Amino acid sequence: MMKGEFEFVIQDCNKIIDSNGFIGTEATEREMHLKYAYLLRGLSFIAREDLDHAIRDFDEAINLGESALSYLFRGVAYFYKKDYSQALKNYTLVLSLDPSDSQAYFGRGYIRFLMGDLQGSKEDYAKIIELNPKEGGGYAFRAEVYKKEGNVAAALEDFQRAIQIGPSDKLYLTRGVFYHSIEEYEKAELDYIQAGQMNPNREKEVKFLIECLKSCKTKDCLRGIPIYAWQIRIKDQAFRYEIEFLNL
């Protein structure tokens, strides 16, 4: 949905909230209607980048009854607001109510990484791996933490596990950039090529990175990868986080 389309959602939620959850329904039903109206309107405010209003709506939903979902959404809002301490608190509250919530572990693990708590971040990603052994996300994100620590062998092992579980062009690009950063140029090029074969839409990006490799091999790199990372920030938000993780 586009930002403008969320206006219709907000208007519908306003009607429910203004009518106190629809007059005439049972009290428990009214509270349920109100709670979900606040949650849905809060998510719509996040989509509009109106984070303060989103947080107030999630506060109202929580006042009507604690739930892991309410704390998760409020944590997301605080994350986008870059209030990492509050985001961390909310993700922890989610896990106190639902210790198996993988999204909360992902969110908390990433925030801990940003705040420099690398051990805590690894523990959260390890929990994701325990909960979802057939998914590669926990391995991929933990690999970035190992890279930050300078543990190249552990990082590459986790990247390999992530790719074995769920190969994707983004994973190959991410590992390729990692190889690039540690001057494993031949392996980086193989990963870039594999990413391009998996997703032909990446052709221009792959060609750019391979050109960077050629420059780096001749010690005339001119820091091409950070330029590439800047370009990716505009084009692909999901890959942006992976690039930023590499701290190049």
Side-chain angles (χ1 to χ4, degrees):
M1 296 176 72
M2 301 298 289
K3 283 185 182 181
E5 294 177 308
F6 282 100
E7 294 299 326
F8 296 104
V9 177
I10 291 172
Q11 290 173 15
D12 286 342
C13 290
N14 288 343
K15 292 176 183 177
I16 297 172
I17 292 167
D18 291 343
S19 65
N20 195 30
F22 293 130
I23 296 172
T25 59
E26 295 291 331
T28 54
E29 289 185 54
R30 285 202 302 273
E31 286 189 0
M32 182 184 69
H33 290 158
L34 278 171
K35 182 175 182 178
Y36 283 104
Y38 280 121
L39 288 176
L40 188 55
R41 192 173 71 174
L43 288 174
S44 300
F45 281 135
I46 288 179
R48 285 201 331 185
E49 300 178 5
D50 188 348
L51 301 176
D52 288 331
H53 276 105
I55 290 168
R56 284 198 288 271
D57 272 359
F58 298 141
D59 288 343
E60 291 290 346
I62 290 167
N63 288 337
L64 289 166
E66 285 187 311
S67 72
L69 193 63
S70 301
Y71 286 124
L72 181 68
F73 290 164
R74 193 169 68 176
V76 170
Y78 276 120
F79 171 78
Y80 282 123
K81 198 176 179 182
K82 298 188 183 301
D83 189 339
Y84 297 140
S85 61
Q86 283 297 322
L88 184 68
K89 177 181 177 181
N90 277 271
Y91 287 132
T92 300
L93 285 167
V94 174
L95 295 169
S96 71
L97 296 173
D98 183 2
S100 64
D101 193 309
S102 293
Q103 293 182 73
Y105 282 115
F106 265 118
R108 193 174 71 174
Y110 185 48
I111 290 168
R112 284 176 162 176
F113 178 90
L114 294 175
M115 297 176 74
D117 180 7
L118 301 186
Q119 183 59 37
S121 182
K122 284 191 298 183
E123 289 172 1
D124 281 341
Y125 293 138
K127 189 64 178 179
I128 293 167
I129 293 166
E130 177 188 325
L131 291 168
N132 305 288
K134 294 183 178 181
E135 296 181 10
Y139 287 113
F141 278 84
R142 192 175 66 178
E144 307 294 1
V145 185
Y146 281 131
K147 189 268 179 183
K148 184 74 172 178
E149 290 180 331
N151 192 340
V152 173
L156 290 174
E157 183 179 348
D158 270 4
F159 272 129
Q160 183 60 26
R161 288 177 179 175
I163 288 171
Q164 286 175 341
I165 292 170
S168 70
D169 57 298
K170 290 179 182 179
L171 272 175
Y172 277 109
L173 276 176
T174 305
R175 190 176 68 174
V177 172
F178 185 26
Y179 276 132
H180 198 149
S181 71
I182 60 175
E183 300 184 4
E184 292 275 2
Y185 299 133
E186 287 74 18
K187 292 179 180 179
E189 184 170 2
L190 288 174
D191 274 357
Y192 294 154
I193 291 170
Q194 181 64 33
Q197 290 174 345
M198 294 183 74
N199 184 355
N201 292 328
R202 297 269 189 200
E203 182 181 1
K204 290 183 179 180
E205 297 161 19
V206 168
K207 285 182 178 179
F208 180 87
L209 283 167
I210 290 175
E211 286 301 313
C212 287
L213 280 174
K214 292 177 182 178
S215 297
C216 288
K217 287 177 182 178
T218 61
K219 303 301 180 184
D220 187 28
C221 190
L222 300 179
R223 301 297 290 168
I225 292 181
I227 297 172
Y228 171 70
W230 178 81
Q231 293 174 335
I232 288 295
R233 287 192 188 105
I234 298 173
K235 184 173 182 180
D236 190 332
Q237 183 172 348
F239 189 54
R240 179 192 70 189
Y241 292 121
E242 295 166 11
I243 287 289
E244 287 180 346
F245 256 139
L246 294 172
N247 196 32
L248 296 173

